[in-house]
Amino acid sequence: EDKVVQSPLSLVVHEGDTVTLNCSYEVTNFRSLLWYKQEKKAPTFLFMLTSSGIEKKSGRLSSILDKKELFSILNITATQTGDSAIYLCAVEATSGTYKYIFGTGTRLKVLA
Amino acid sequence: DSGVTQTPKHLITATGQRVTLRCSPRSGDLSVYWYQQSLDQGLQFLIQYYNGEERAKGNILERFSAQQFPDLHSELNLSSLELGDSALYFCASSVGVVRDLNTEAFFGQGTRLTVV
């Protein structure tokens, strides 16, 4: 059964700290891995990763995929209170048809 | 504001009933995705349409169906509702298929369905 596991489930840090969020997966016919940030309601897209070892970067956020070890990490440096959110990892896979499997998310709280 | 519009915002209905959730994608977006988010199961992908045709299918129950119309808006129909169907239902849209064009999907604010 396809699954996506995120860790930690929750973490609390102080502003300025660096955090690393993990996403591991076991899926048949992996196509891509996506990271989303969910604040109050609607998730917003962060990154899509398809190739191993190539870091994607957007400001203080960066992400990398390891297709051999089947995981991805999302790094946030110099965290700010506005980074507080649930970070969702999703994997696109094909099993006859395409589908997206989401992890349960990591809840990040950044304290001032 | 993502540009994706979902109606209604909230919906309360009794078990056994049927409801229709509506989604208007961003202007120019051809793909529409439906997701269900419940407290115990997290965000679950249901189904995707691209330019009117079903493109991808996730864990969508047989009691649920969706379609995308020629004007690209989409409807998700939920029938024979059960208490466990209570959840936040999101719609997202993208220009193309996320995988093919490396485009991002924009989410609507969701419809909160409560089945009583």
Side-chain angles (χ1 to χ4, degrees), chain A residues 94-108:
Chain A
T94 61
S95 298
T97 181
Y98 300 105
K99 58 180 178 178
Y100 302 87
I101 307 108
F102 280 80
T104 51
T106 292
R107 183 179 294 273
L108 171 65

Side-chain angles (χ1 to χ4, degrees), chain B residues 5-52:
Chain B
T5 304
Q6 288 189 248
T7 57
K9 285 188 168 46
H10 299 277
L11 197 52
I12 301 175
T13 189
T15 53
Q17 296 300 304
R18 173 189 170 90
V19 297
T20 297
L21 313 184
R22 195 177 190 278
C23 171
S24 294
R26 291 187 322 153
S27 177
D29 284 359
L30 297 178
S31 270
V32 170
Y33 311 76
W34 285 99
Y35 298 86
Q36 178 193 57
Q37 186 172 40
S38 56
L39 283 175
D40 58 344
Q41 294 214 355
L43 195 62
Q44 304 255 340
F45 166 70
L46 297 178
I47 197 163
Q48 177 201 357
Y49 281 84
Y50 176 75
N51 204 19

